[in-house]
Amino acid sequence: MQDRKRSFSPGTSEIFWCRKCNLPLLSEDCSLCHSTGWRIPLSPPGDVRLCSRRGRDLLRELFLQNWGVEDFLDDRLILLNKIAGTDRRDQVILEGRHIATLWFDITVDRHRLDLEIAGAALLKERAKKNLVVCDDTILKGHIKGKWLAGDQIVSQPPSLEEGDSLVLRIGKFSGVGIVRRKYEAQAIRIKDVTQRDFVLSDRPTTLKDTILANEEHLKRLEREAIAGLRDYLSRSRLPVNISFSGGKDSLASLILARKLMPRIEVLFINTGLEFPETVEYVQKLCSDHKLRLHEI
Ligand SMILES: [Zn+2]
């Protein structure tokens, strides 16, 4: 009988950050300045990618709605790391730090943003909304999970909405507070506090520099992949084709395969559930590169 209890556990997932160049790295060494990157652990499964223009617009909108500020996102590289959740759920990483978690709330049919501790440090002096100024007497003893008492609050937003993330300014410390119902009224529960500041780098980040900073690692991956393909092709007598779905991963596979077989045949499985743009893209790419396409 098959072992039904066998489970899969993903490996550790991480990226690195070059603090000197202010760029993300897939491996420890920066190809631009040759310094060693600072390790950023990622929550599993660890599918980190660059935030698209549309994703950036969504983040701007949510930061503005929640904390009245969004200009700190200008000209900065944002990374999103997909994590487990009922629907969409992404860790938002800015300058190597997890500032917020973006998720889609199916109960209210909209995206939401949960602030993380690094995000609170970033917004401590910037937030124009959802900011709570606290008395530093709350810093005594264990504070995580504690409720904020009325006399510890110097100022707070005029109204509190269940589930909202609030920026706490506590002297030199910053924290995240969550609005929760306590008895009959809404109250603020402390999620976390930190003394660590978040000073944004003056160095602008570009996609071009990101690629250059990762060049040696990417080239090494490419060499390994091509060696593996070459080895397979030398042993196989069967016809070879490349399965292409129109996504980023299969596009990378297609580019690698073409380095060894420029006229490779392409197989596209049209499930019937594809977006029309995907089907159009697959067909156009094959026609532009004069590749024979088998659509099934
Ligand atoms: Zn560097």
Side-chain angles (χ1 to χ4, degrees):
M1 220 178 102
Q2 265 193 326
D3 179 14
R4 288 188 184 186
K5 281 186 179 161
R6 192 184 299 165
S7 64
F8 170 77
S9 76
T12 50
S13 193
E14 60 190 16
I15 54 163
F16 299 85
W17 199 269
C18 177
R19 294 205 226 192
K20 208 166 154 191
C21 303
N22 190 27
L23 292 169
L25 303 173
L26 295 168
S27 68
E28 222 172 357
D29 305 311
C30 175
S31 304
L32 272 178
C33 72
H34 299 285
S35 60
T36 302
W38 163 47
R39 184 177 172 269
I40 307 168
L42 297 173
S43 291
D47 178 18
V48 73
R49 64 217 183 277
L50 292 159
C51 178
S52 65
R53 199 182 312 145
R54 186 151 159 63
R56 182 182 290 270
D57 290 344
L58 175 64
L59 288 173
R60 275 186 194 288
E61 196 186 306
L62 292 167
F63 271 106
L64 197 63
Q65 246 172 43
N66 288 285
W67 302 286
V69 59
E70 44 91 17
D71 59 350
F72 60 89
L73 294 172
D74 288 350
D75 304 321
R76 284 177 208 279
L77 213 67
I78 304 168
L79 298 178
L80 296 178
N81 179 44
K82 190 149 121 191
I83 53 172
T86 317
D87 202 273
R88 179 189 187 173
R89 203 169 183 91
D90 284 308
Q91 292 182 315
V92 182
I93 299 165
L94 186 77
E95 303 211 336
R97 292 173 70 183
H98 176 199
I99 58 163
T101 302
L102 171 68
W103 58 290
F104 190 76
D105 186 346
I106 51 172
T107 64
V108 289
D109 199 24
R110 66 177 169 99
H111 281 94
R112 296 181 73 123
L113 207 52
D114 289 348
L115 199 63
E116 301 296 335
I117 196 69
L122 181 71
L123 296 180
K124 189 179 117 181
E125 303 297 338
R126 290 184 172 86
K128 296 188 177 76
K129 278 164 82 176
N130 280 346
L131 172 73
V132 181
V133 181
C134 313
D135 195 300
D136 59 11
T137 54
I138 70 160
L139 294 169
K140 283 183 197 127
H142 188 77
I143 47 177
K144 252 190 184 181
K146 263 194 189 168
W147 294 96
L148 272 181
D151 61 354
Q152 295 171 319
I153 299 171
V154 179
S155 72
Q156 71 168 61
S159 67
L160 298 174
E161 205 176 305
E162 174 77 19
D164 271 358
S165 299
L166 309 176
V167 178
L168 310 181
R169 190 197 292 160
I170 321 152
K172 282 186 178 169
F173 286 71
S174 35
V176 178
I178 307 291
V179 179
R180 290 278 178 251
R181 178 163 287 275
K182 189 188 179 197
Y183 307 116
E184 286 308 297
Q186 298 288 17
I188 302 163
R189 193 168 205 164
I190 305 168
K191 184 176 160 189
D192 208 353
V193 292
T194 183
Q195 197 179 4
R196 192 175 161 201
D197 254 347
F198 193 148
V199 182
L200 287 169
S201 165
D202 294 331
R203 204 185 155 116
T205 45
T206 66
L207 196 54
K208 196 176 163 218
D209 284 343
T210 307
I211 295 166
L212 291 174
N214 286 281
E215 196 175 15
E216 282 162 26
H217 177 71
L218 292 171
K219 287 201 164 146
R220 191 162 55 239
L221 287 181
E222 184 179 284
R223 280 197 300 275
E224 282 169 16
I226 289 176
L229 282 173
R230 186 173 279 131
D231 176 54
Y232 175 78
L233 292 172
S234 71
R235 288 182 287 110
S236 171
R237 302 240 171 268
L238 294 169
V240 176
N241 55 53
I242 181 102
S243 182
F244 182 55
S245 68
K248 66 181 184 349
D249 300 314
S250 65
L251 178 63
S253 308
L254 175 64
I255 292 168
L256 289 169
R258 285 195 66 212
K259 295 204 180 220
L260 289 176
M261 299 181 74
R263 295 267 76 88
I264 194 162
E265 292 189 6
V266 178
L267 191 67
F268 170 53
I269 301 168
N270 186 341
T271 58
L273 293 171
E274 310 297 330
F275 285 114
E277 293 89 341
T278 305
V279 179
E280 201 182 298
Y281 168 71
V282 170
Q283 290 167 347
K284 187 175 182 313
L285 187 122
C286 290
S287 120
D288 287 355
H289 293 274
K290 301 188 173 55
L291 296 170
R292 193 164 166 217
L293 172 67
H294 300 275
E295 190 173 324
I296 298 167

